[in-house]
Amino acid sequence: MSTYHILLFGICRDLLKSSTISIEKEGSVTVGEMLQTLRSKHPALENLPSLRLAAEHRFPEPDFILSETMEIALIPPVSGG
């Protein structure tokens, strides 16, 4: 069993009332699978349309396999000017 620690920012942090969460998964997990897991375990995230997962300061493709030793962050929708 692997434990993935995920940093939260912006509205994700506000909705889950925490700066980090931990997810335990058996076997390897892709970015896409982790996003599905996060949405299913934390229904407050389901209404956010464009969540992205960053790994090691990059935005990997959905089929990228995560390692529990990576720095992983959940990035909410943002706007800029």
Side-chain angles (χ1 to χ4, degrees):
M1 184 80 61
S2 298
T3 302
Y4 298 85
H5 302 284
I6 300 164
L7 302 170
L8 302 175
F9 295 96
I11 194 162
C12 295
R13 176 183 269 186
D14 295 342
L15 289 171
L16 301 183
K17 298 177 179 30
S18 181
S19 60
T20 62
I21 55 174
S22 296
I23 299 289
E24 290 187 353
K25 295 290 279 183
E26 189 71 41
S28 62
V29 62
T30 66
V31 167
E33 292 166 340
M34 182 61 79
L35 282 170
Q36 286 179 326
T37 298
L38 288 167
R39 282 193 166 110
S40 68
K41 288 187 181 257
H42 301 283
L45 300 174
E46 288 182 11
N47 293 328
L48 297 178
S50 58
L51 286 177
R52 295 186 76 188
L53 211 60
E56 298 296 329
H57 304 274
R58 297 199 169 138
F59 291 111
E61 296 295 320
D63 61 349
F64 180 82
I65 297 174
L66 296 168
S67 166
E68 67 182 313
T69 61
M70 291 178 169
E71 181 180 78
I72 303 170
L74 186 60
I75 308 297
V78 295
S79 63

